[in-house]
Amino acid sequence: MSARRIRDSGALLAFTFDGRAYEGREGDTLASALLANGVRVVGRSFKYHRPRGIHGAWSEEPNAILDVTIYGKTWPNIRATTQRLEAGMDLRSVNARPTAEGDRLGLLNRLSPFLPAGFYYKTFLWPDWHRFEPRIRAMAGLGRLDPAHEPPADSPAMNARCDVLVVGSGRSGLLAAREAALAGGSVIVVDDRFEPGGTMLHREADGAERAAVLAGDVEQAGARILSRTTAYGIYDHNLVCCWERRDGAPDRHWRIRPKRIVLATGAIERPLVFVDNDRPGVMSAEAALYYLRRHGVLVGERIVLAANNSRALGVADALREAGAAVTVAVLREGASVDAVHGAKGVEAVTISGKRIEADCLLASGGYTPTVHLFCQAKGKLRYDEAIAAFVPGAPVDGISLSGAAAGDFGDYAIAPAWPNPGAKGRQWIDFQNDVTLKDVELAARENFRSVEHLKRYTTLGMATDQGKTSNMNGLAAMAAVTGRTIEQTGTTTYRPPFVPVPFTVLAGRRRGQLFNPVRRLALETQHRAAGGVFREYGGWLRPAFYGGGEADDEIRREARQARETVAIFDGSPLGKIEVFGPQAGAIVDYNSYNTISTLKPGRIRYGFMLTEGGVIYDDGVTVKLADDHYVVSCSSGHVAGVVARLEEWRQDRFDPAAVFVHNLTAHWATLTATGPHAKALVAALSLGVDLDDAALPHMAVAQGSFEGGAARVARVSFTGDRSYEISVPASKAPALWAAMNEAGRALDAVLMGSEALLLLRAEKGFIIAGKDTDGTSMPHDLGITGPRDKRLGEYVGKRSLFTENALRDNRQQFVGLAVADGGPALPTGAHVLDETGGKRRSAGYVTSSYESPAVGGPIALGLVERGMSRMGEEVSLFHLGETRRAVIAQPCFFDRDGSRIDA
Amino acid sequence: MTRHYSAFGLLREGLRGHSGWQPAWRSPQPKPRYDAVIIGGGGQGLATAYYLAKNHGITNVAVLEKGWLGGGNTGRNTATIRSNYFYPESVALYDFSLKLYEGLSRELNYNVMLSQRGVVTVASSPAEMEMAARLVNAMQINGTDAELLDRDGVLQKAPLLNTSDEARYPIFGGTWQGRAGVARHDAVAWGYARAADGFGIDIVQNCEVAGFLIEGGRCVGVETSLGTIHADAVALCVAGHSSVLAAKAGFQLPIRSYSLQAMVSEPVKPCLDTVVLYPGTGTYLFQSDKGEIVLGGGLDRVPSYAQRGNPPMQQTVVSGMLEMFPAFGQLRMLRQWAGVVDVVPDSSPIIGPSPVSGLYLNGGWGTGGFKAIPAGGWLTAHLIATGEHHEISRPFDLDRFATGRLVDEAAGSGIAH
Amino acid sequence: MQLFLCPFCGERDETEFTFCAEAGKTRPEPAAEVPADAWARYLHFDHNPKGATREVWLHATCGEFFLMERDTVSHAVAGSHSLRRPEA
């Protein structure tokens, strides 16, 4: 016999374990249900595939890890002690085939003498590790991922502030919470168990009732209690992160910022270290009491209780009362556990040379305060001989500890019973990762004596139980082996999380379209209605092209027609950053490679913005509306960056009272008409602007009105054709769109997406910063040397244009590349090869490449070493092993005399 | 006693309870004088010491470590090794390192578990595919292995990747470097330490450098928590803390320190066979031999020397992973940690003489120091032994910041380190 | 998640802030008279102290650049100051 249920309550719940059917009771955890059914072997250990049973009762459990299938979905690596049983669950042991009971790899246990800690560092050297790796990998791992199971991104996040956060709702936590709440503070209590009460619930005969009353008092006083909520980490400035489980709703993430934290997290019982202490049926004494009082499950008929401390020994009476025969071995009286008999379940125990028939061995080595959160908050520990455990040392600002977590065990006596080096047989320290006392001794022998080396070399404490039952015994063993004290040996660093936390909870809803959300156009609906196919450009979702045909065909159709009639293009994301004030001219000059302020009001200038490193950050036009009013336009992806740099210099270099920067990008919608009929189209809109070329020449701006609101008409062209950019308040965008479409009907206008525009500008050799330039390109690499050579005064990046590197004569320069081998368009990303001296190297690359309808063939742009002085030279290009030929050319392939701008 | 590691040795020791294994390294007290003192007992420092002995016959060397060896960034990184770089200078450095890694386990007689399982870098748009082509062509021209993958090719390497149309960053294709992979990071430090110790080099743990002995503008030794140590040459191999030591020697560096976080899941049976980098989300990950998903992402945004995680970046990295692999939503985060890394304006390392003669620099590794351990050590040893740059380290000299000759991978390929 | 102190808005989450530079750097000018190494020092070299530091930060939410004193190890924030010139 072994464990059984002695008190039935709650509805029956059917479940299976390793293919066999069982029944549990409502309120069961997976562990209590398995125990109640007499299941002894619930899993196999990570390395040696030793049979393992349930050891603990809560998050410290090292052995009972299961894959759980429910509602057709499998969740791997569920800790049986903390998961509630539900009807219809299929439980599978991990790391065992076909079942935990009959695992084929159980034979590995026989090979254990040859598989000590770190054996893999000493072998698999020939021919190489990667040959052995697949088989080793297949043997490692615990549960199995279900490839078809994609949990939804539905976990909400809650942010909270409070005066006092109490972690743990045992007696000391509830008392601290009640006191704080009665004093008038806002109080939150979090606790990872199913209901408040902590150890009161199983330690005290009528504990459940008393805990309920106390919890009621706490809530009456105004505190909020969150059960099933684990405070898993303390981060900077005492931010406490918690994971809350809920019935019928997704788990929640809590980020709580308290003024004061009370840690009432209790203590965890340590196993004893003796030969074969990992046998199924060797359990924690605290757990035995828990299963009895909380689940009505008696863990054995004939129980041996071996303990070195009064708290664990106190369990005996309750077990006897429940009907078990209990033999007590008090280790402080010199008793020792010599042997545990029974490979798949305790059959007998030899204590101090005497064999005792038994079906369960409760072994307790004392209790360790749960100080994880205190240590995460940089709290230091000190070793307390009186309770043989590390306890919190010097206080940490804003954090106090209460109850067992503070080392306050009440009436408690313990005789240290630490691991005994040199003993024969295998004594487990880390159950899940199969680390034995011999492994610790080997680590010491090989000089892995630092606790951090011990952890990494043996993997002690690195299992999914986070070493809750093993760390203390491990470092005590290292202390004993090396002749140091436990305090000198020290602990490893405590890091979050306290228990493994679901990734879905950490990620929350920040998934899919909510992961870095795209920016959307005011006219998205209209574009979609017109057949727009959307792609992302610089963070904006924009129409790439219109129509249902092949992308390339539609793009070329739009490009061709734009050159023939007129195209309508939505340019709204283009930056519109307004700069006002007496120093506006000075700041836009400083911001720009080209001097801007010398423009006449109403005129526009194209130029670069450089980084302080002299590299082209962005290009764009700046409009001068008045001496004290400019509009800086930049590419859509750079708006935030340009605003930030203008603002930085405004505050750092200029007088913030004399210049003001205002980003109006989202406030204005901009629609562009470009092509030979552009003027006719704009004229039909009746914007109240004189469109005569004398009044509004290329690179000029005029103010008009549209439907009673402002309208700004700028003659700026990115296609090389006559173009008008019409900006109106975003609220008027639909009306302007409708009006332009209406006016365009008679002119055979075409809607143009971003791709056709990219093609048209490439025909003219106009760059896209960041595509046709890279993070090393300087203005003189594009042949724009005027400001560098002549401009007086400071501007961003100036000094860097004169470094040794900037003055190199072999810089990569912006050029056109004409296909010379009769082939199709060059692949973008192909490299220009330099093979002088017999050594192959890159001398630049293709940055843009298209089949151009206007040119009637392929065109390409690129960055090529010394390119501007190599016009007409034929070069080889390399692409994925293939070679192409091209001739270096001027970047402008179309309308070289620029006559179309006024055509 | 067994010093040499082999399957036979393991069998023999297994029969006698593993009682005959020698210490992997000694714990000596430092001598008053050495030919060379290496500050920093991480991978770079230990490799430097090893190659000083092996390549140059210089064995009167001490490695001084303020904590436990391998406890800095060597023990805190995500163990990825690759040479998928754009500029020839970078490829020369990292491919040299990869080649040294390929023979390292046998050379050191220590299994560093190099697993050349390949690295996929996913491209999520036509524009990223063009950049991917640019990178692959550069790598092929520079003589390292690289392939351009289409969407099916990427999904073949990592079948659990998100194929949904709703994915924020859809898969268009990607780049592949098959020789890239991962290694067991601790083992690299331990293997070099054991081999260096075998040459008689003193590895001194718990020995913190408090200052430098500078006479006539030349560094002639160090003041430490264990006393004064004289040396003909001193090397700083303390990435993450380079600025702190440089300040003690009286100069500044073009470095800022940031935390870099990483985390692992609970272990599961094999479900991912390659390393996957996803520039769209910034997350990269692989599955360790133990079965844990190891993941990391970008640097924290706040300059810091605190070796601890931070929720905002953690959420970004985890969200990024679940965007890539929705099925990993079944898993839980088991551990998280952070290292402090040297961040240099061009994200390339600094190897070369410092402004103080006799004092050499090996730092500025950013997030990529682990993969460069063999090369970084080799080149630093060359520098100390000869006083001259090896041709591979020359471009990474500190002088590049004044000349403007930065080696900025992000500038060329758009892909960060 | 750190809490930073904006001199105008008070304590806010770190995600609202952007690091700009170490405090106390002055841009060397005019460019024609700045030696290469002086420019490199301004552009790239820093104290990068472990411990107490003074830095310029941007509170992106309100748009103000300000000076913050903090500790790069403990992350304690000692104080923040406006960079605005005193009112004339």
Side-chain angles (χ1 to χ4, degrees):
Chain A
M1 248 331 275
S2 64
R4 66 190 168 89
R5 198 182 297 276
I6 59 166
R7 187 179 73 241
D8 284 336
S9 65
L12 285 171
L13 304 175
F15 70 100
T16 69
F17 169 67
D18 274 353
R20 285 186 60 181
Y22 297 99
E23 279 179 338
R25 293 280 177 174
E26 198 169 327
D28 263 335
T29 61
L30 307 185
S32 67
L34 288 166
L35 278 171
N37 282 283
V39 175
R40 309 200 73 179
V41 181
V42 298
R44 292 282 171 152
S45 65
F46 196 84
K47 189 169 164 187
Y48 302 138
H49 287 252
R50 299 263 295 185
R52 290 286 166 76
I54 291 160
H55 178 272
W58 197 245
S59 60
E60 78 285 1
E61 170 61 35
N63 297 330
I65 308 294
L66 305 171
D67 286 353
V68 177
T69 305
I70 178 95
Y71 311 127
K73 301 207 183 306
T74 300
W75 298 87
N77 295 343
I78 300 292
R79 181 164 281 106
T81 47
T82 55
Q83 172 66 47
R84 273 248 162 92
L85 182 69
E86 291 181 53
M89 276 183 166
D90 289 317
L91 315 182
R92 279 263 159 210
S93 56
V94 301
N95 213 33
R97 275 283 167 106
T99 64
E101 184 72 30
D103 177 31
R104 285 188 214 109
L105 285 175
L107 282 172
L108 276 173
N109 189 34
R110 303 267 177 85
L111 294 177
S112 64
F114 308 106
L115 306 173
F119 71 95
Y120 30 77
Y121 300 127
K122 296 184 171 112
T123 182
F124 307 120
L125 295 165
W126 197 92
D128 71 58
W129 165 249
H130 199 39
R131 294 279 187 86
F132 297 95
E133 195 182 21
R135 301 186 66 178
I136 304 276
R137 281 187 69 196
M139 286 169 62
L142 292 171
R144 265 161 219 287
L145 195 80
D146 174 0
H149 178 196
E150 301 188 347
D154 59 359
S155 179
M158 306 289 284
N159 294 305
R161 281 175 181 268
C162 59
D163 292 316
V164 180
L165 172 69
V166 179
V167 182
S169 66
R171 183 189 302 282
S172 57
L174 290 174
L175 289 175
R178 188 175 66 182
E179 188 187 324
L182 288 175
S186 57
V187 178
I188 299 175
V189 183
V190 297
D191 187 287
D192 61 350
R193 307 223 181 208
F194 296 108
E195 61 267 295
T199 57
M200 290 172 77
L201 300 175
H202 66 272
R203 274 282 169 185
E204 299 174 21
D206 53 353
E209 292 76 31
R210 286 156 66 175
V213 169
L214 185 51
D217 288 352
V218 169
E219 286 180 328
Q220 193 77 42
R224 177 171 189 179
I225 301 178
L226 294 169
S227 286
R228 301 174 69 185
T229 303
T230 310
Y232 68 81
I234 294 191
Y235 295 90
D236 281 317
H237 302 160
N238 286 350
L239 178 77
V240 183
C241 290
C242 308
W243 161 37
E244 181 191 15
R245 278 84 65 198
R246 299 186 294 172
D247 283 325
D251 291 359
R252 270 200 300 209
H253 197 205
W254 284 81
R255 294 179 290 232
I256 303 176
R257 186 81 77 175
K259 290 196 181 115
R260 193 159 66 79
I261 300 168
V262 178
L263 298 177
T265 42
I268 294 172
E269 191 182 20
R270 298 189 290 267
L272 279 172
V273 179
F274 51 84
V275 175
D276 291 332
N277 59 336
D278 68 326
R279 299 275 202 217
V282 180
M283 287 184 72
S284 135
E286 191 77 24
L289 190 62
Y290 179 90
Y291 288 116
L292 177 65
R293 291 260 170 82
R294 302 295 296 151
H295 297 290
V297 173
L298 185 59
V299 294
E301 295 286 312
R302 287 158 297 135
I303 297 172
V304 175
L305 171 59
N308 66 340
N309 65 89
S310 56
R311 187 175 169 86
L313 290 167
V315 168
D317 288 345
L319 297 171
R320 281 193 190 110
E321 243 170 67
V326 181
T327 309
V328 174
V330 184
L331 294 189
R332 66 168 175 262
E333 288 164 11
S336 63
V337 184
D338 300 332
V340 183
H341 311 279
K344 290 187 178 173
V346 173
E347 291 161 8
V349 183
T350 304
I351 300 278
S352 303
K354 187 178 161 211
R355 184 180 164 103
I356 305 165
E357 299 305 310
D359 54 8
C360 178
L361 169 60
L362 304 181
S364 175
Y367 287 77
T368 307
T370 304
V371 292
H372 299 65
L373 294 175
F374 175 73
C375 292
Q376 286 176 24
K378 291 161 285 185
K380 298 270 182 281
L381 303 177
R382 70 180 171 81
Y383 188 70
D384 184 348
E385 297 282 354
I387 61 167
F390 279 105
V391 296
V396 170
D397 253 6
I399 299 181
S400 57
L401 292 102
S402 181
D408 177 7
F409 288 177
D411 189 16
Y412 180 74
I414 182 169
W418 298 118
N420 212 354
K424 290 227 181 299
R426 281 184 295 162
Q427 311 190 17
W428 265 260
I429 290 179
D430 185 321
F431 294 125
Q432 193 184 113
N433 272 357
D434 272 331
V435 181
T436 66
L437 181 54
K438 285 185 192 306
D439 292 319
V440 178
E441 293 177 79
L442 177 64
R445 189 174 304 132
E446 298 191 272
N447 205 6
F448 291 89
R449 291 176 175 227
S450 146
V451 281
E452 297 287 356
H453 281 156
L454 170 68
K455 166 183 161 182
R456 285 160 176 77
Y457 189 62
T458 64
T459 73
L460 191 157
M462 297 180 83
T464 64
D465 57 0
Q466 316 269 27
K468 288 185 183 67
T469 56
S470 61
N471 280 342
M472 196 62 206
N473 282 331
L475 68 95
M478 181 53 87
V481 174
T482 56
R484 292 175 292 182
T485 65
I486 288 172
E487 186 141 37
Q488 283 165 344
T489 305
T491 67
T492 52
T493 308
Y494 288 82
R495 290 201 185 84
F498 174 66
V499 296
V501 177
F503 283 126
T504 47
V505 169
L506 298 173
R509 289 183 168 150
R510 201 177 147 200
R511 295 269 305 279
Q513 296 305 314
L514 295 180
F515 187 93
N516 292 352
V518 287
R519 304 191 69 183
R520 292 174 182 277
L521 297 168
L523 294 174
E524 182 172 328
T525 313
Q526 286 80 354
H527 292 306
R528 289 201 187 275
V533 176
F534 283 70
R535 286 185 193 159
E536 189 184 338
Y537 298 88
W540 285 83
L541 200 60
R542 307 178 67 166
F545 57 90
Y546 298 82
E550 283 294 315
D552 284 350
D553 296 341
E554 301 287 11
I555 292 162
R556 272 197 286 276
R557 171 186 59 77
E558 292 172 16
R560 190 179 300 115
Q561 205 173 335
R563 293 277 188 223
E564 286 168 5
T565 60
V566 57
I568 301 169
F569 173 78
D570 186 346
S572 299
L574 209 64
K576 288 168 286 273
I577 303 161
E578 307 222 2
V579 182
F580 308 89
Q583 289 191 349
I587 198 170
V588 296
D589 282 349
Y590 183 68
N591 178 53
S592 180
Y593 176 59
N594 317 66
T595 309
I596 305 292
S597 62
T598 50
L599 281 171
K600 278 192 274 186
R603 294 302 158 99
I604 299 169
R605 186 164 287 162
Y606 171 82
F608 297 126
M609 285 174 255
L610 311 183
T611 67
E612 278 283 48
V615 167
I616 296 169
Y617 174 70
D618 198 13
D619 67 337
V621 297
T622 302
V623 180
K624 182 171 182 177
L625 291 174
D627 284 337
D628 60 354
H629 189 186
Y630 294 78
V631 182
V632 177
S633 184
C634 59
S635 56
S636 49
H638 279 133
V639 174
V642 171
V643 170
R645 59 187 261 158
L646 285 167
E647 196 55 56
E648 181 172 356
W649 293 311
R650 167 183 171 258
Q651 295 181 36
D652 191 36
R653 186 179 181 92
F654 295 88
D655 179 356
V659 60
F660 199 77
V661 178
H662 193 29
N663 177 14
L664 286 171
T665 302
H667 298 251
W668 292 88
T670 302
L671 296 177
T672 301
T674 178
H677 300 339
K679 189 172 177 178
L681 192 149
V682 177
L685 301 174
S686 305
L687 301 171
V689 171
D690 183 355
L691 295 177
D692 188 84
D693 284 358
L696 186 65
H698 180 53
M699 298 304 263
V701 66
Q703 305 277 8
S705 67
F706 177 73
E707 298 221 326
R712 198 146 69 204
V713 181
R715 276 198 64 189
V716 179
S717 176
F718 200 33
T719 62
D721 287 347
R722 174 184 290 273
S723 302
Y724 297 84
E725 285 183 3
I726 306 163
S727 298
V728 295
S731 59
K732 307 275 190 203
L736 181 62
W737 173 260
M740 288 178 75
N741 274 274
E742 175 61 33
R745 209 159 292 153
L747 299 167
D748 198 18
V750 65
L751 298 179
M752 182 170 74
S754 295
E755 292 298 324
L757 182 67
L758 286 171
L759 196 169
L760 295 178
R761 64 88 208 176
E763 291 173 343
K764 287 291 294 178
F766 296 157
I767 64 155
I768 302 278
K771 176 172 171 63
D772 300 295
T773 63
D774 68 15
T776 67
S777 303
M778 295 178 167
H780 53 280
D781 300 329
L782 282 69
I784 319 279
T785 56
R788 184 184 71 150
D789 296 344
K790 298 184 193 122
R791 190 176 159 190
L792 300 171
E794 288 297 312
Y795 54 89
V796 180
K798 182 177 186 180
R799 177 61 185 86
S800 294
L801 299 178
F802 300 92
T803 63
E804 184 189 313
N805 184 50
L807 300 172
R808 251 184 321 127
D809 64 359
N810 61 344
R811 292 184 62 86
Q812 292 190 354
Q813 296 173 322
F814 177 64
V815 293
L817 290 163
V819 170
D821 56 11
L826 300 170
T828 301
H831 281 249
V832 176
L833 276 181
D834 173 15
E835 295 177 290
T836 48
K839 208 180 161 202
R840 212 165 57 152
R841 62 176 201 92
S842 166
Y845 47 85
V846 178
T847 59
S848 292
S849 178
Y850 304 90
E851 288 289 345
S852 161
V855 174
I859 58 165
L861 304 172
L863 292 167
V864 180
E865 264 183 30
R866 298 188 175 90
M868 290 188 297
S869 57
R870 293 165 68 183
M871 290 297 153
E873 185 181 326
E874 193 170 315
V875 291
S876 289
L877 289 118
F878 176 91
H879 181 67
L880 305 176
E882 308 279 317
T883 304
R884 295 288 306 274
R885 302 288 291 172
V887 169
I888 299 176
Q890 293 295 337
C892 181
F893 289 89
F894 180 69
D895 179 36
R896 291 209 168 101
D897 63 358
S899 58
R900 292 179 62 98
I901 200 76
D902 284 322
Chain B
M1 298 297 262
T2 306
R3 173 133 195 122
H4 186 77
Y5 291 167
S6 64
F8 175 74
L10 203 60
L11 277 174
R12 190 179 56 187
E13 284 294 336
L15 296 173
R16 59 185 194 199
H18 298 280
S19 58
W21 293 113
Q22 296 264 30
W25 47 78
R26 299 161 295 127
S27 292
Q29 286 300 302
K31 297 188 288 190
R33 215 206 77 80
Y34 290 94
D35 293 344
V37 161
I38 315 294
I39 305 172
Q44 294 284 348
L46 293 164
T48 299
Y50 169 76
Y51 291 114
L52 270 176
K54 178 172 179 269
N55 294 353
H56 305 283
I58 300 171
T59 57
N60 184 26
V61 175
V63 178
L64 309 182
E65 166 55 49
K66 75 172 173 185
W68 37 281
L69 67 89
N73 293 333
T74 305
R76 294 167 190 274
N77 64 82
T78 44
T80 303
I81 296 167
R82 55 191 174 83
S83 62
N84 51 350
Y85 285 87
F86 183 73
Y87 287 117
E89 295 87 345
S90 306
V91 173
L93 174 67
Y94 293 106
D95 214 50
F96 178 50
S97 205
L98 178 47
K99 282 175 185 146
L100 289 173
Y101 260 123
E102 284 172 334
L104 197 62
S105 290
R106 272 165 285 167
E107 177 174 349
L108 299 179
N109 180 230
Y110 204 97
N111 185 8
V112 302
M113 299 186 181
L114 176 68
S115 167
Q116 291 180 287
R117 55 179 72 179
V119 171
V120 184
T121 305
V122 178
S124 309
S125 67
E128 284 186 24
M129 281 303 285
E130 291 177 359
M131 292 299 268
R134 187 197 288 185
L135 174 64
V136 165
N137 286 326
M139 288 169 65
Q140 291 183 354
I141 291 169
N142 290 326
T144 189
D145 67 305
E147 279 177 53
L148 191 66
L149 301 178
D150 60 11
R151 181 181 155 97
D152 287 345
V154 168
L155 292 175
Q156 214 167 18
K157 303 289 186 198
L160 292 182
L161 271 168
N162 190 354
T163 56
S164 157
D165 293 337
E166 289 301 299
R168 177 65 182 83
Y169 295 100
I171 299 163
F172 275 72
T175 67
W176 168 253
Q177 189 181 32
R179 285 166 60 236
V182 296
R184 174 89 180 97
H185 52 356
D186 291 328
V188 173
W190 299 341
Y192 273 118
R194 176 169 165 271
D197 181 87
F199 279 116
I201 287 168
D202 287 349
I203 300 166
V204 188
Q205 301 184 67
N206 301 306
C207 177
E208 184 162 7
V209 170
F212 293 86
L213 300 175
I214 296 175
E215 290 174 7
R218 187 177 169 80
C219 179
V220 295
V222 289
E223 298 284 1
T224 79
S225 54
L226 299 179
T228 301
I229 303 171
H230 285 84
D232 295 342
V234 177
L236 284 189
C237 301
V238 293
H241 286 70
S242 297
S243 301
V244 176
L245 272 293
K248 293 183 198 293
F251 58 91
Q252 292 184 6
L253 290 170
I255 286 174
R256 187 166 300 289
S257 295
Y258 284 91
S259 286
L260 178 66
Q261 298 188 60
M263 58 199 99
V264 299
S265 74
E266 295 181 325
V268 283
K269 296 292 177 193
C271 58
L272 174 63
D273 293 332
T274 65
V275 183
V276 181
L277 282 86
Y278 216 88
T281 66
T283 301
Y284 55 88
L285 70 164
F286 69 94
Q287 188 177 22
S288 74
D289 289 333
K290 201 177 168 189
E292 300 164 338
I293 304 295
V294 181
L295 65 155
L299 297 165
D300 273 8
R301 297 170 64 251
V302 181
S304 171
Y305 283 93
Q307 289 176 324
R308 57 181 180 270
N310 194 10
M313 182 51 73
Q314 177 183 299
Q315 185 186 14
T316 301
V317 171
V318 171
S319 295
M321 173 181 73
L322 297 186
E323 259 317 277
M324 298 157 67
F325 294 98
F328 290 178
Q330 297 167 53
L331 301 178
R332 295 176 197 79
M333 177 176 79
L334 177 60
R335 278 191 303 281
Q336 66 167 112
W337 65 92
V340 177
V341 301
D342 282 356
V343 175
V344 178
D346 63 358
S347 296
S348 282
I350 298 169
I351 306 173
S354 79
V356 177
S357 75
L359 180 59
Y360 298 94
L361 302 173
N362 167 321
W365 289 105
T367 62
F370 176 75
K371 61 178 163 284
I373 283 174
W378 179 295
L379 299 169
T380 310
H382 181 95
L383 191 68
I384 294 169
T386 66
E388 304 282 334
H389 268 295
H390 188 285
E391 62 172 20
I392 293 176
S393 67
R394 182 69 195 80
F396 300 100
D397 193 279
L398 190 60
D399 67 5
R400 71 180 187 272
F401 298 96
T403 62
R405 290 178 185 264
L406 305 184
V407 187
D408 189 344
E409 283 290 322
S413 66
I415 290 174
H417 276 246
Chain C
M1 177 89 81
Q2 300 192 54
L3 287 176
F4 288 157
L5 185 63
C6 170
F8 304 92
C9 309
E11 274 191 342
R12 300 292 187 97
D13 279 348
E14 64 173 83
T15 47
E16 295 184 10
F17 296 83
T18 305
F19 171 77
C20 300
E22 273 179 20
K25 277 194 163 186
T26 306
R27 191 175 190 266
E29 295 174 5
E33 293 168 22
V34 179
D37 60 338
W39 182 245
R41 267 202 307 282
Y42 166 72
L43 210 51
H44 299 305
F45 287 65
D46 271 314
H47 292 286
N48 189 28
K50 183 176 184 177
T53 185
R54 283 162 57 84
E55 298 163 334
V56 178
W57 282 78
L58 166 65
H59 185 209
T61 322
C62 74
E64 288 290 334
F65 290 77
F66 66 95
L67 201 142
M68 180 156 64
E69 294 169 7
R70 62 182 193 101
D71 188 295
T72 58
V73 182
S74 72
H75 290 171
V77 176
S80 291
H81 314 278
S82 165
L83 281 171
R84 291 287 178 117
R85 295 182 183 86
E87 297 290 320

